[in-house]
């Protein structure tokens, strides 16, 4: 690192430009100025440090020594070009995209066989909205409303787009290529299953109007990320974009960089906020990194920021929520969200039922003892690094205790001629459940985290074709696939967030479902299930308030959907 001084000769910072980052070790005066500008500075290994991306440049440029600014701009001349394009995109973003759609929307293709005409009216409105925001917005439609066709149609209607990247869960890689052939006939697509596939693609001529489809897991590999950046995409579509909720994860950093490099940035998610506002910032930063350049102002304003003592340390945490109506108003120009009840009035009803189960005395006692221990430690300010492990082990025991009830439930459904879908959390619970179902004579398909991506779609196809009586899945099955052959699901174990469980339910309750859907939750009374269920309901309220829209926008959405 090189040292940089103020004009009075005092130390300002040590700095180094590395790839697309400015590594900074600020002295006290600069550190204070950065903190005032909402730039986080951390104390690491004996010195204060921060890492700044190109999106921070408009904020930090006035704070840095003149010669350091000149050095950075000479070392990274691409930053200025990128920032100029970002500022132009910001100036062109309408305050109310729906109003722009109403006055200056896309015209329908003249060809009556164009796939545009097969979209539902609300899906056509989604494509119109994406163009109104310059291809940079979050389509947050409810699960099952068909975000995949909307994503492909944005590519199909954009004549300038030549190279596209589609990031999605491994379970729907094949489905994205199938849907591409249906909705974007001028495009071709192919799945890149490994880093080697991407490295080969980077060395070969890239086809025109071609989309590369990759899994979220692949983005965690540095070699895959390097190959994707080398390919260079002018459009990036990110399915199940809420996977990027952890800003520190390798896959999140990769996908955000790829989005920032692209002209079209289209995250898709039925649950853009899974449980708390802190998870939403990364997607907004990916779409508009200048407006949402730093997490700190977002965290302090909307995330119920507070200091928490952990052992001898006091840390600032952002796990709460605050000012949710203000958050909803701020994010309205960046997010388009429609719920099934608004746009699919012909969809049959969905019912959520709780099936109470009597837990053993041992499980109830173990729950009471663990909760008391955790409360005592919290009052004493003690840190318990084993707490999560203890909770996880108890939850697995509770899940195992519900296996017999789940087998009985699925067997009864089969006897009445109804296929069923069962959701679990733990691998051991899944193993015992599958064994019990097969012993009862049911044909069972299984999709867990360990199921290879290439094997998942054939299992879904077999279930839909009537070759399986039941399908058992973990969180790996909750997204992107359709299981509308069944109208009965069973949540054997509670998951931690309402978004995850609603996504699981909506594998059945989506387009092409013709029957009322019933989702049964097995609940072991007197155990951790009581507390997890309450926690999930509280989170559901936070999500609902964060994404609420005012009456004017609701009315405009309805009118445009009818006219589109």
């Amino acid at each position: 690192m090189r040292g940089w001084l103020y004009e009075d000769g005092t130390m300002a910072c040590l700095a180094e430009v590395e790839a697309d980052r400015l590594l900074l070790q600020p002295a006290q005066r600069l550190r204070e100025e950065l903190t005032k500008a909402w730039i986080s500075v951390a104390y690491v290994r004996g010195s204060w440090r921060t890492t700044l991306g190109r999106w921070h440049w408009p904020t930090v440029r006035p704070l840095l020594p003149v010669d350091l600014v000149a050095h950075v701009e000479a070392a990274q001349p691409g930053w200025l070009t990128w920032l100029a394009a970002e500022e132009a995109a910001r100036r062109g973003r309408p305050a109310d995209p729906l109003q722009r759609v109403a006055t200056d929307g896309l015209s329908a293709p003249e060809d009556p066989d164009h796939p545009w005409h097969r979209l539902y009216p609300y899906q056509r409105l989604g494509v119109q909205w994406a163009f109104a925001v310059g291809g940079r917005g979050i389509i947050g439609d409810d699960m099952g409303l068909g975000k995949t066709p909307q994503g492909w149609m944005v590519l199909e209607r954009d004549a300038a787009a030549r190279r596209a990247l589609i990031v999605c869960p491994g379970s729907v890689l094949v489905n994205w290529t199938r849907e591409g052939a249906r909705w974007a006939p001028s495009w071709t697509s192919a799945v890149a299953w490994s880093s080697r596939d991407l490295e080969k693609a980077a060395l070969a001529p890239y086809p025109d109007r071609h989309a590369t489809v990759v899994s979220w897991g692949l983005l965690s590999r540095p070699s895959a990320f390097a190959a994707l950046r080398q390919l260079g995409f002018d459009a990036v579509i990110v399915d199940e974009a809420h996977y990027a909720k952890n800003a520190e994860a390798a896959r999140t950093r990769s996908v955000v960089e790829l989005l920032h490099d692209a002209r079209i940035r289209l995250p898709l998610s039925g649950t853009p906020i899974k449980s708390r506002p802190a998870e939403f910032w990364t997607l907004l930063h990916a779409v508009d990194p200048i407006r949402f350049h730093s997490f700190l102002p977002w965290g302090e304003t909307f995330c119920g920021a507070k200091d928490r003592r952990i052992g001898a340390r006091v840390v600032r945490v952002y796990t709460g929520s605050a000012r949710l109506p203000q958050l909803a108003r701020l994010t309205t120009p960046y997010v388009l969200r429609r719920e099934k009840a608004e746009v699919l009035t012909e969809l049959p009803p969905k019912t959520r039922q709780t099936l109470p189960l009597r837990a053993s005395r041992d499980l109830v006692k173990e729950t009471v003892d663990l909760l008391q221990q955790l409360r005592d430690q919290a009052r004493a300010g003690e840190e318990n690094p084993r707490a999560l492990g203890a909770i996880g082990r108890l939850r697995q025991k509770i899940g195992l205790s519900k296996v017999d009830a789940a087998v009985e439930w699925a067997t009864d459904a089969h006897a009445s001629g109804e296929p069923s879908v069962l959701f679990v959390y733990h691998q051991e619970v899944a193993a015992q459940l599958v064994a019990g179902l097969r012993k009862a004579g049911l044909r069972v398909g299984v999709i867990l985290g360990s199921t290879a991506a290439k094997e998942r779609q054939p299992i879904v196809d077999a279930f839909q074709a009537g070759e399986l009586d039941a399908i058992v899945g973990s969180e790996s099955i909750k997204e992107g696939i359709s299981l509308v052959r069944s109208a009965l699901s069973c949540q054997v174990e509670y998951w931690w967030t309402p978004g995850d469980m609603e996504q699981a339910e909506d594998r059945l309750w989506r387009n092409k479902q013709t029957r009322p859907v019933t989702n049964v939750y097995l609940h072991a009374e007197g155990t951790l299930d009581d507390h997890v269920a309450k926690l999930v309901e509280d989170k559901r309220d936070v999500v609902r308030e964060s994404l609420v829209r005012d009456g004017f926008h609701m009315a405009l959405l309805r009118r445009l959907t009818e006219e589109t």
Side-chain angles (χ1 to χ4, degrees), residues 65 70 103 105 108 194 284 288 404 441 502 508 536 546:
T103 59
S194 65
L284 296 166
D288 187 349
D404 290 344
E502 288 173 11
L508 289 65
V536 165
S546 301

Side-chain angles (χ1 to χ4, degrees), residues 93-102 129 132-133 332-333 552-553 556:
R93 174 179 287 274
D96 190 339
L98 292 176
Q99 288 280 27
R100 176 171 291 185
V101 171
W129 179 88
V133 296
T332 292
F552 172 79
H553 279 88
L556 186 57

